[in-house]
């Protein structure tokens, strides 16, 4: 693949007046984890995720033409969350605008107002960077497509959205479509590459297209170590190269299990991945632990329940203490009473979110 496939810019008719657009983008939960990257948001290994449905960021961007367009590396914007100005989010968004400017030079012709809100509880420990940057990239791409003087090829549109989202937050690349997205070059996936994510559409047992993710909110506080710091700690990590090789290998194995619909092995592998991610954190230098005592208590109960009930429920973890409980939708009636009785008391304020796999970005 060419180093920069999106540098060829379409012909656009840039409007002279102001306007706005609103999109929603979901969060996603990785089954094979991305942890460790090279310069330019290039992942050290391939990853694959379920796109979620209800954990969504809704973003409206308002644009107003500037009389004297700014240098694109210095885009003018304001950001609001739930209607409240949030200058503390500006540095990350400014970096994003700088990174995407070569691919969307027109952003410097406007002053932007970004209004964003999440459907999941504020500070719930659910990463909003994946849904947030997918929404922002998606909104900007919708503008570019609507201003193009010639029809925009659908593939190019989707791939460029994922490419731009990646420049905000790596995992955001996987929030554009659903229900399963892969990102990062892998020999078993001919279309795979490090620059944008693709939807996994072939060789999948349909059971994985109707999956639940009940997110157990063990700890709703701010993460003690950000993912930016965590990724950086992989640079001099004693086990980094083994981890990247393990993830590549695990992804190849997962694809075979998903094609065969092997739920037992799927559960084992997904749990191994979650614990490998946290093992990397615990063996970083300096080391850190994002799991809480109740994370481990839940893990124990999930494994006991699966063993005793023979129901293929498994857990995965993001970079935090919350537990994502994954199971085929047709087990919901059996699983929910157990979650309410046994697991919700281990959550902060008893809270959990009932989510499921979804389809990605939407324009409202
Ligand atoms: O997208 P980032 O840079 O916040 O990295 C997040 C990585 C994990 O969420 C921990 C795993 C993944 O693949 O989503």
């Amino acid at each position: 693949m060419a180093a920069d496939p999106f540098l060829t810019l379409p012909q656009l008719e840039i409007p002279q007046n102001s306007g706005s657009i609103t999109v929603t983008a979901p969060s996603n939960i990785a089954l094979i984890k991305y942890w460790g990257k090279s310069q330019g948001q290039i992942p050290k290994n391939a990853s694959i995720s379920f796109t979620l449905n209800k954990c969504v960021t809704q973003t409206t961007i308002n644009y107003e033409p500037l009389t004297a367009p700014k240098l694109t590396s210095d885009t003018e914007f304001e950001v609001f969350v739930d209607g409240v100005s949030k200058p503390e989010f500006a540095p990350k968004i400014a970096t994003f605008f700088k990174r995407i400017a070569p691919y969307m030079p027109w952003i410097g012709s406007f002053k932007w107002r970004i209004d964003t809100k999440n459907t999941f509880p504020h500070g719930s420990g659910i990463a909003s960077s994946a849904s947030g940057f997918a929404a922002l990239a998606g909104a900007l791409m919708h503008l570019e497509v609507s201003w193009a003087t010639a029809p925009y090829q659908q593939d190019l549109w989707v791939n460029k959205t994922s490419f731009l989202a990646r420049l905000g937050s790596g995992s955001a690349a996987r929030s554009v479509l659903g229900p399963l997205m892969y990102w990062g070059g892998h020999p078993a996936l001919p279309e795979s590459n490090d620059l944008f994510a693709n939807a996994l559409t072939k060789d999948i047992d349909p059971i994985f297209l109707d999956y639940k993710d009940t997110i157990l909110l063990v700890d709703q506080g701010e993460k003690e170590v950000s993912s930016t710091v965590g990724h950086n700690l992989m640079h001099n990590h004693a086990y980094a190269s083994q981890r990247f090789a393990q993830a590549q290998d695990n992804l190849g194995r997962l694809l075979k299990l998903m094609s065969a619909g092997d739920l037992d092995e799927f559960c084992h592998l997904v749990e191994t991945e979650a614990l490998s991610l946290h093992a990397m954190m615990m063996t970083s230098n300096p080391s850190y632990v994002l799991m809480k005592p109740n994370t481990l208590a839940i893990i124990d109960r999930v494994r006991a329940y699966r063993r005793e009930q023979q129901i293929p429920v498994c857990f995965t973890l993001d970079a935090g203490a919350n537990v994502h409980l994954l199971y085929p939708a047709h087990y919901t009636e059996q699983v929910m009473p157990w979650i309410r009785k046994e697991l919700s008391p281990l959550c902060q304020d008893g809270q959990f979110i009932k989510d499921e796999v979804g389809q990605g970005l939407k324009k409202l």
Side-chain angles (χ1 to χ4, degrees):
M1 165 148 329
D4 260 332
F6 304 106
L7 270 179
T8 313
L9 303 171
Q11 281 272 329
L12 301 178
E13 209 168 290
I14 302 287
Q16 302 303 310
N17 39 19
S18 51
S20 73
I21 184 161
T22 301
V23 304
T24 63
S27 188
N28 67 73
I29 181 68
L31 304 172
I32 303 295
K33 310 291 182 183
Y34 148 64
W35 199 239
K37 60 180 169 181
S38 313
Q39 187 72 24
Q41 303 279 92
I42 300 300
K44 291 283 193 184
N45 61 261
S47 56
I48 185 163
S49 50
F50 275 136
T51 303
L52 298 184
N53 191 34
K54 296 198 184 116
C55 289
V56 159
T57 298
Q58 179 175 319
T59 297
T60 301
I61 53 174
N62 287 272
Y63 52 91
E64 199 185 309
L66 292 170
T67 34
K70 286 232 164 191
L71 286 175
T72 50
S73 61
D74 189 18
T75 309
E76 218 177 301
F77 68 92
E78 282 177 296
V79 55
F80 295 81
V81 179
D82 296 324
V84 179
S85 171
K86 289 278 174 186
E88 62 268 37
F89 291 158
K92 249 192 141 175
I93 295 173
T95 302
F96 173 70
F97 275 132
K98 275 198 180 72
R99 287 179 182 162
I100 68 164
Y103 310 96
M104 287 188 156
W106 49 266
I107 54 176
S109 307
F110 299 95
K111 179 179 191 291
W112 300 91
R113 179 187 157 116
I114 303 162
D115 270 286
T116 189
K117 60 183 181 197
N118 295 326
T119 54
F120 39 96
H122 182 67
S124 65
I126 310 277
S128 58
S129 62
S131 52
F133 280 109
L136 189 50
L140 291 167
M141 268 312 286
H142 267 285
L143 293 182
E144 180 163 295
V145 169
S146 66
W147 298 342
T149 53
Y152 220 107
Q153 214 192 316
Q154 179 75 15
D155 275 4
L156 180 62
W157 171 356
V158 173
N159 295 346
K160 186 169 174 180
T161 307
S162 170
F163 172 90
L164 297 172
R166 184 195 102 242
L167 297 177
S169 166
S171 55
R174 299 187 313 241
S175 274
V176 172
L177 295 175
L180 281 149
M181 294 287 279
Y182 58 88
W183 166 50
H186 192 281
L189 293 161
E191 312 266 291
S192 65
N193 70 85
D194 291 342
L195 301 183
F196 57 86
N198 283 292
L200 185 69
T201 51
K202 284 185 230 143
D203 294 331
I204 284 284
D205 188 293
I207 198 151
F208 295 108
L209 308 181
D210 193 12
Y211 236 71
K212 295 283 178 187
D213 178 5
T214 303
I215 309 167
L216 304 164
L217 302 175
V218 171
D219 184 70
Q220 304 186 30
E222 281 285 310
K223 272 191 291 191
E224 281 146 42
V225 178
S226 71
S227 16
T228 309
V229 171
H231 280 292
N232 278 336
L233 288 172
M234 288 301 282
H235 285 309
N236 294 312
H237 197 295
Y239 306 135
S241 58
Q242 293 95 320
R243 164 61 199 156
F244 303 142
Q246 178 201 39
Q248 290 295 89
D249 189 50
N250 281 348
L251 198 147
R253 288 178 52 210
L254 190 81
L255 291 174
K256 289 191 186 128
L257 297 174
M258 293 182 90
S259 164
D262 186 338
L263 292 178
D264 289 342
E265 288 302 317
F266 173 84
C267 287
H268 290 142
L269 187 54
V270 165
E271 293 185 351
T272 297
E273 267 296 306
L275 295 180
S276 293
L277 169 70
H278 282 256
M280 289 301 108
M281 297 167 181
M282 293 196 279
T283 49
S284 289
N285 186 13
S287 60
Y288 60 105
V289 183
L290 295 183
M291 289 187 284
K292 299 285 179 198
N294 279 350
T295 311
L296 291 173
I298 290 173
I299 288 174
D300 261 1
R301 288 187 190 198
V302 171
R303 289 184 159 177
Y305 180 79
R306 183 164 73 237
R307 208 169 40 239
E308 285 155 18
Q309 303 296 320
Q310 298 289 306
I311 291 179
V313 180
C314 64
F315 69 83
T316 190
L317 305 166
D318 215 336
N322 297 332
V323 181
H324 291 247
L325 215 55
L326 304 175
Y327 49 97
H330 66 261
Y331 285 111
T332 306
E333 274 187 30
Q334 278 154 282
V335 169
M336 274 322 291
W338 165 67
I339 292 177
R340 283 204 183 88
K341 183 159 178 273
E342 299 273 335
L343 304 185
S344 117
L346 298 167
C347 300
Q348 196 174 325
D349 304 324
Q351 277 194 301
F352 57 88
I353 300 172
K354 286 157 68 180
D355 211 339
E356 66 263 326
V357 298
Q359 295 302 328
L361 205 87
K362 289 189 192 110
K363 178 175 170 283
L364 293 192

